[in-house]
Amino acid sequence: MTTALALFSGGLDSILACRVVQDQGIRVKALKFVSPFFDYDLLERQDGYCAEVLTKYGIDVELIDISETYLRMLAAPAHGYGKNFNPCVDCKILLVRTAKELMAKYDASFLITGEVVGQRPMSQRPDTLRIIERDSGTDGILLRPLCCRGQKKTRAEEQGLIDPDKLPHFSGRNRTPQIELATEMGIADFPSPGGGCILTEQVRAARIQALYKLQKPELLTPENIRFLLKGRQYHFPSGAWLTMGRNQPENELIESLQMGKDLLVKAVDRPGPSGLLRFSKGQADQELAAAIVARYLKKTAAKSQEMQVVTGDGRSAILLVHPAADSDIKPLSW
Ligand code: SF4
């Protein structure tokens, strides 16, 4: 049986692309790429996610963590950035190229994506779609089954593996035809379009951009990116980083990010935010972090506050600090 390898975002277009190719008797293996900027949390529930996609859509999906290559690409994407720090064209090229490299492993004859010509301003213009093929080395093996009619034929069509006349033909931003096809196919529960990529978000993308501007490649790790994407952020003159939760779920998440020499900073015997201090250079950083976290505790008559600083292996020290003044905190905000 012929196999096609699909780039699967989990959105409606990628679901439909897989399904219309399956309907022509092709086995489809779907790859869902994850990075700290999109869908990384799925790695924690990989089996559950894959089972859910199989049950809901009949699609056999596998997660591929592309973080390391992605972080390198993001430093200098050949085709530049979009409105924020999103390198959409190079992102697509990287994902398609990686899928091509995996074709032998899955014994796949061709690749498919759910791209629809004209749907997205940066990465789905007709000329950009050609650039993606050219720069990923997938000319002739990349089939876009939702919009391939009228385009240069791929090998799968030439060899009769796929009948383009039986495929839908979508274009532009109107999604009604896709939703109608989904309804016909009995696909009811699918994610709404857009969102999902942090690099398109103004505030968090700016943090990532600021990190890249530091020109310190050793800082470009998935763990550091995840740190920067959660909570209120402060960068100290020493080079230490502090993140602090804004609510209970975020506190729990921030606590779960503790690794290596990170220090957890919390009030002693009082509810309040959790802070996570990374790259601390010593006592002064710990006191500053404790003072910032103390600032966000409920005010009391006491002038100073007992705070605890806990290492990853559970050792803790108590610090007595005055809550930091807003004017001192503001210049440290990231
Ligand atoms: S929005 Fe994000 S995930 Fe989507 S193509 Fe652009 S950079 Fe890649």
Side-chain angles (χ1 to χ4, degrees), residues 44-292:
E44 282 162 24
R45 54 179 190 96
Q46 187 154 190
D47 290 349
Y49 173 76
C50 296
E52 188 185 314
V53 171
L54 187 61
T55 310
K56 265 192 192 168
Y57 311 121
I59 295 170
D60 172 19
V61 69
E62 187 172 319
L63 299 185
I64 308 277
D65 181 359
I66 197 169
S67 301
E68 282 189 22
T69 339
Y70 202 98
L71 290 175
R72 279 199 300 278
M73 175 276 288
L74 189 55
H79 299 281
Y81 303 98
K83 194 171 159 208
N84 294 300
F85 201 46
N86 48 312
C88 290
V89 178
D90 290 275
C91 171
K92 286 278 170 63
I93 291 168
L94 174 62
L95 303 190
V96 174
R97 190 191 301 128
T98 309
K100 182 192 169 199
E101 287 164 6
L102 291 167
M103 282 174 70
K105 178 180 172 190
Y106 295 99
D107 196 22
S109 305
F110 62 100
L111 299 172
I112 59 176
T113 71
E115 288 161 306
V116 170
V117 68
Q119 190 173 94
R120 291 185 197 272
M122 186 173 173
S123 60
Q124 297 188 10
R125 289 196 320 245
D127 55 332
T128 315
L129 295 181
R130 296 285 84 77
I131 288 169
I132 292 169
E133 284 165 24
R134 185 194 70 198
D135 290 4
S136 62
T138 55
D139 198 19
I141 55 168
L142 175 58
L143 176 77
R144 298 182 170 102
L146 302 187
C147 63
C148 66
R149 261 190 261 156
Q151 307 288 322
K152 192 177 149 209
K153 279 199 171 25
T154 60
R155 263 180 260 158
E157 295 155 278
E158 283 169 352
Q159 292 168 356
L161 299 171
I162 284 284
D163 179 354
D165 293 335
K166 290 189 181 149
L167 293 173
H169 186 70
F170 303 136
S171 67
R173 308 189 77 146
N174 177 15
R175 296 182 58 78
T176 310
Q178 280 98 311
I179 293 168
E180 284 170 358
L181 179 61
T183 309
E184 263 174 50
M185 291 181 137
I187 302 167
D189 180 14
F190 49 84
S192 48
C197 177
I198 285 159
L199 294 169
T200 61
E201 291 176 19
Q202 200 177 354
V203 174
R204 294 199 289 175
R207 278 187 200 165
I208 304 302
Q209 188 169 17
L211 174 68
Y212 274 79
K213 279 193 179 148
L214 295 177
Q215 299 280 343
K216 292 187 175 171
E218 70 278 11
L219 293 180
L220 302 176
T221 64
E223 294 77 19
N224 285 342
I225 301 284
R226 294 191 81 206
F227 185 103
L228 288 179
L229 296 176
K230 308 288 180 199
R232 292 179 206 271
Q233 295 281 326
Y234 305 94
H235 280 199
F236 295 178
S238 69
W241 298 358
L242 173 72
T243 183
M244 188 174 55
R246 287 167 288 205
N247 49 46
Q248 195 47 31
E250 208 166 58
N251 288 337
E252 285 167 19
L253 216 148
I254 280 170
E255 290 183 22
S256 76
L257 296 180
Q258 185 172 19
M259 51 172 257
K261 295 182 177 163
D262 289 350
L263 297 166
L264 192 60
V265 183
K266 294 167 83 164
V268 174
D269 296 333
R270 282 187 64 194
S274 297
L276 190 63
L277 181 63
R278 184 163 289 180
F279 308 130
S280 168
K281 304 292 184 296
Q283 185 74 11
D285 283 341
Q286 293 181 26
E287 286 173 2
L288 179 55
I292 293 173

